[in-house]
Amino acid sequence: MSTLSDLLAEHTKLSGGEVDHLQMVVAEWQLLSDLSFADLLMWVPVGEPPTPAQPDVEYLCVAQARATTAPTAHPEDVVGSTLAVADHPQLRRATEERRICREEDPRWYHGVPVRREAVPVTFDDKVIAVLSRETDLAVPRVPSSLEIAYLGIAADLCQMVADGTFPTSEPAADVHTSPRVGDGLIRLDPTGAVVFASPNAQSAYHRMGHPAELVGVRLAPLTRGLIADPFDATEIAQRILAALDGQPSMRAEAESHRGAGVLFRALPLRPGGKAAGALVLVRDVTEVRRRDRALMSKDATIREIHHRVKNNLQTVAALLRLQSRRTASTEARAALAESVRRVAAIAMVHEALSTSVDEKVDLNKLLDKVIPVVGDVAVAENHVRVRRTGQFGVVAAEVATPLVMVLTELVQNAIEHAYPTGVTGDVEVSAERTARWLDVIVSDDGRGLPKGFSLERSNGLGLQIVRTLVESELRGSLSMRNRPRGGTEAVLRVPLAHRRT
């Protein structure tokens, strides 16, 4: 399905600023839909906007929202459909008259009476789209104080959409989520006193330490007194007062003296440019933050384990180096040096995991550290340059360790066996990644594979390790072949899809 930006680019001539404003409307309109107990459809004229000379233009639906507080009037997807002006004349009226227009009689839609209201979306003193607020009237509703408060706030916000004062871009917030209507809603009058508080909002303040009713209380000083951190308390109170002054809304989170965590958002209400108070949304996030802290503690424990494993492996590598220095046998010294290299490679993986928050490793950064170590150990007599090309990307820990081991073994094998003593050369580790596969080629420009070479029958320890890891841990495939221009290449393919991450 086409996105909002795709539909606007294809069917309209709106400027970048106008498109951005419609994106902001869509980002905020779930709030408006829930307060209205209605679906919202965003319509834009196809081609040029309607004019008295050319009134009969078509409108295209570019976005749709369904209320979580009421039955939907449109169970089907309307986005991408067109509508003639004759089928919804209020769209054109709202565009031309730049005011909210409601149909006098409900319209029957699939056997259900639907009340439609057209709200012009104004930006930079120009109507750029129309919201159709469509309410299912088949379900009778008993007007309650909550419903009356919701609809009153929705009416103010719709008028602000028509005025071009809602939504507005808000400064960057410290939190990346927002309370919803059902989480807790408070309406303030222009003086900052509470005129309505939903039951969930009342419960949130009870948990913060205010046992009495909220109605009639000035919210800013009350909230300041309930929050434990004095800086957070001042900031939340100032944001509530700023919303009363008509300043853009902001979101913030704070913790009360009793340990209750609450997420706040304050929005100014200024329909027609007249101060009508503010809307404050609150959400009790105490349990959410408790679970977050438990997860953070678990993550910190896992990272500490990786750190200690890395330290232990480095100790093992140091002991092997000491043993190597005391060994007279050249063959034994070489075997110990290879063991040191393998242990060091595994230690580097655990070092990367000790700083990761999601048990994933950036292979590009890790291999840029590991490959030079392999080259330094192996090229004492040969001058071989090792380089990485392509993007390995980020992989899970279960892939990182065996994959790094395989690549270091293949690079080591190329350096040791591709070049005679004293010969220079180049070894390249290239990667190509798709959503499903990671394809890696380790190539050299050396003397090529010996005649009759078979990877399956090779009895070298390094290649035996590689085969075992590729088959059992990576569940991939490996082949080795001569290059047309001389040298050898090892071709590795590792599946990335359907892995546990």
Side-chain angles (χ1 to χ4, degrees):
M1 184 179 67
S2 299
T3 63
L4 172 61
S5 57
D6 292 337
L7 290 170
L8 294 176
E10 182 178 354
H11 298 283
T12 72
K13 297 181 180 179
L14 296 177
S15 67
E18 292 167 341
V19 171
D20 289 343
H21 185 74
L22 294 183
Q23 295 276 18
M24 282 197 299
V25 172
V26 170
E28 294 283 10
W29 71 349
Q30 189 62 55
L31 168 69
L32 188 55
S33 178
D34 290 342
L35 288 169
S36 301
F37 304 98
D39 290 5
L40 293 178
L41 305 176
M42 180 180 286
W43 298 92
V44 295
V46 178
E48 297 294 337
T51 62
Q54 187 182 2
D56 296 328
V57 299
E58 282 191 331
Y59 282 82
L60 172 72
C61 182
V62 294
Q64 176 180 8
R66 296 183 178 93
T68 62
T69 52
T72 181
H74 291 281
E76 80 288 0
D77 188 14
V78 187
V79 174
S81 63
T82 57
L83 196 65
V85 170
D87 295 326
H88 198 342
Q90 307 305 325
L91 296 178
R92 186 179 66 191
R93 283 189 58 201
T95 303
E96 294 176 349
E97 300 176 16
R98 302 177 62 175
R99 65 179 182 88
I100 300 174
C101 300
R102 176 187 292 186
E103 291 179 328
E104 295 181 0
D105 299 316
R107 172 179 175 268
W108 286 85
Y109 184 79
H110 293 318
V112 175
V114 176
R115 184 180 64 213
R116 300 190 299 186
E117 189 175 26
V119 181
V121 180
T122 303
F123 174 75
D124 201 15
D125 202 32
K126 173 186 174 184
V127 175
I128 58 175
V130 182
L131 298 185
S132 183
R133 189 163 59 152
E134 311 202 354
T135 308
D136 182 353
L137 300 180
V139 180
R141 305 186 67 88
V142 178
S144 63
S145 59
L146 182 144
E147 183 168 343
I148 293 170
Y150 276 26
L151 292 174
I153 296 170
D156 288 346
L157 290 176
C158 282
Q159 184 58 54
M160 292 171 66
V161 171
D163 297 338
T165 57
F166 179 81
T168 57
S169 58
E170 59 183 80
D174 295 331
V175 293
H176 301 287
T177 185
S178 178
R180 298 165 298 180
V181 169
D183 293 328
L185 179 146
I186 300 171
R187 172 144 196 180
L188 307 180
D189 66 14
T191 68
V194 177
V195 294
F196 173 80
S198 70
N200 283 344
Q202 191 75 55
S203 296
Y205 269 80
H206 281 181
R207 193 158 188 177
M208 291 174 67
H210 179 69
E213 291 293 321
L214 285 173
V215 174
V217 177
R218 293 176 64 85
L219 192 67
L222 169 66
T223 306
R224 182 190 289 115
L226 295 174
I227 295 175
D229 188 289
F231 295 101
D232 288 344
T234 301
E235 182 181 11
I236 298 293
Q238 287 177 344
R239 291 183 181 187
I240 294 173
L241 295 174
L244 292 170
D245 292 335
Q247 296 180 25
S249 62
M250 290 187 67
R251 309 163 210 182
E253 185 177 327
E255 189 170 293
S256 72
H257 292 286
R258 292 189 173 186
V262 178
L263 186 61
F264 294 87
R265 187 184 183 193
L267 295 90
L269 296 177
R270 293 198 164 225
K274 298 178 182 179
L279 165 65
V280 179
L281 299 173
V282 296
R283 180 186 178 193
D284 184 351
V285 293
T286 307
E287 295 304 321
V288 175
R289 295 298 169 254
R290 186 171 296 157
R291 289 195 296 269
D292 288 347
R293 284 193 288 269
L295 288 173
M296 290 175 63
S297 176
K298 179 181 177 182
D299 289 342
T301 301
I302 293 173
R303 291 198 297 273
E304 177 62 22
I305 290 172
H306 284 302
H307 180 72
R308 294 188 181 188
V309 170
K310 182 261 297 184
N311 289 343
N312 291 338
L313 289 172
Q314 289 178 336
T315 301
V316 171
L319 292 174
L320 290 173
R321 288 192 192 95
L322 287 174
Q323 185 66 46
S324 175
R325 294 186 187 122
R326 294 174 178 268
T327 301
S329 169
T330 303
E331 185 178 347
R333 195 179 299 118
L336 288 171
E338 287 188 4
S339 297
V340 168
R341 172 181 54 77
R342 290 172 182 136
V343 171
I346 299 173
M348 287 186 181
V349 176
H350 283 282
E351 182 179 22
L353 289 170
S354 70
T355 60
S356 171
V357 296
D358 54 3
E359 284 288 287
K360 293 185 179 181
V361 177
D362 185 338
L363 275 183
N364 296 321
K365 294 181 179 179
L366 180 57
L367 289 173
D368 287 344
K369 294 179 180 178
V370 173
I371 289 176
V373 173
V374 177
D376 291 342
V377 172
V379 297
E381 298 179 354
N382 293 357
H383 300 286
V384 178
R385 295 176 294 272
V386 184
R387 62 192 179 95
R388 174 186 66 83
T389 60
Q391 296 297 316
F392 285 84
V394 176
V395 299
E398 62 185 19
V399 178
T401 301
L403 183 55
V404 169
M405 283 290 294
V406 166
L407 294 178
T408 56
E409 292 295 337
L410 291 175
V411 171
Q412 174 82 8
N413 185 73
I415 294 173
E416 286 187 353
H417 301 292
Y419 306 99
T421 302
V423 175
T424 62
D426 292 286
V427 174
E428 179 180 358
V429 182
S430 62
E432 183 176 342
R433 179 169 178 158
T434 64
R436 186 175 181 183
W437 301 101
L438 175 61
D439 293 301
V440 185
I441 297 178
V442 179
S443 58
D444 63 69
D445 55 357
R447 53 191 165 193
L449 294 172
K451 188 175 181 179
F453 173 82
S454 171
L455 179 61
E456 289 73 20
R457 291 195 296 269
S458 174
N459 57 6
L461 178 60
L463 290 181
Q464 287 181 2
I465 292 173
V466 167
R467 288 203 310 272
T468 301
L469 291 176
V470 169
E471 293 171 4
S472 63
E473 297 290 330
L474 298 175
R475 289 173 170 73
S477 62
L478 175 69
S479 63
M480 297 184 72
R481 63 199 180 198
N482 286 316
R483 298 173 66 193
R485 299 187 302 275
T488 307
E489 59 184 18
V491 181
L492 172 67
R493 166 165 276 201
V494 179
L496 297 176
H498 308 300
R499 283 187 175 271
R500 179 181 60 84
T501 57

